[in-house]
Amino acid sequence: MTGMRQIESDEARRIVESGTVRPLGELLRIAEARHEGGRGGLGLEYGRAEDAPDRYLFATEVEDADGMVWSMLLDAHTGEIIEDRPPQTQENDDDAPPAEPEASEH
């Protein structure tokens, strides 16, 4: 996922009140609409992009109608979905240990 540095709640409140970013509820609705039956609120945070500190981001997790949880990252100003990662499985989990090599018969 794109690097994000979480910001303090006072800064988050200030950037929402100033109109620099969209309100949490609006961003959450955008994220929820991405997945059929989406329900969000499983983790909500504003932050700054690590590679562009003047860009604010919004991270959340959305549960779809099948109960799968999606990790999402949005541009907090535009509402554009930057990343939308599916649930981790053994097949695509980057943290999974490498498969053991098969023994060769020589």
Side-chain angles (χ1 to χ4, degrees):
M1 189 172 254
T2 299
M4 182 179 93
R5 184 176 47 83
Q6 186 176 358
I7 61 174
E8 297 295 325
S9 59
D10 289 342
E11 182 179 1
R13 186 176 15 265
R14 182 184 53 76
I15 62 175
V16 170
E17 289 173 355
S18 70
T20 301
V21 300
R22 293 178 182 224
L24 182 140
E26 188 176 330
L27 292 167
L28 188 55
R29 283 190 292 280
I30 292 168
E32 290 172 334
R34 177 71 170 232
H35 296 284
E36 186 175 337
R39 294 182 307 138
L42 303 175
L44 309 164
E45 66 182 19
Y46 285 102
R48 291 179 181 262
E50 288 181 349
D51 60 348
D54 57 334
R55 183 180 191 195
Y56 287 100
L57 303 174
F58 175 75
T60 190
E61 292 180 336
V62 172
E63 182 179 3
D64 68 16
D66 295 325
M68 298 173 90
V69 177
W70 299 79
S71 296
M72 300 183 70
L73 187 67
L74 289 76
D75 181 297
H77 177 71
T78 66
E80 172 191 3
I81 296 172
I82 299 168
E83 291 185 14
D84 183 12
R85 291 190 307 158
Q88 295 293 322
T89 62
Q90 189 66 26
E91 292 79 36
N92 70 0
D93 188 350
D94 293 339
D95 296 329
E100 293 292 323
E102 293 184 25
S104 60
E105 296 180 27
H106 287 288

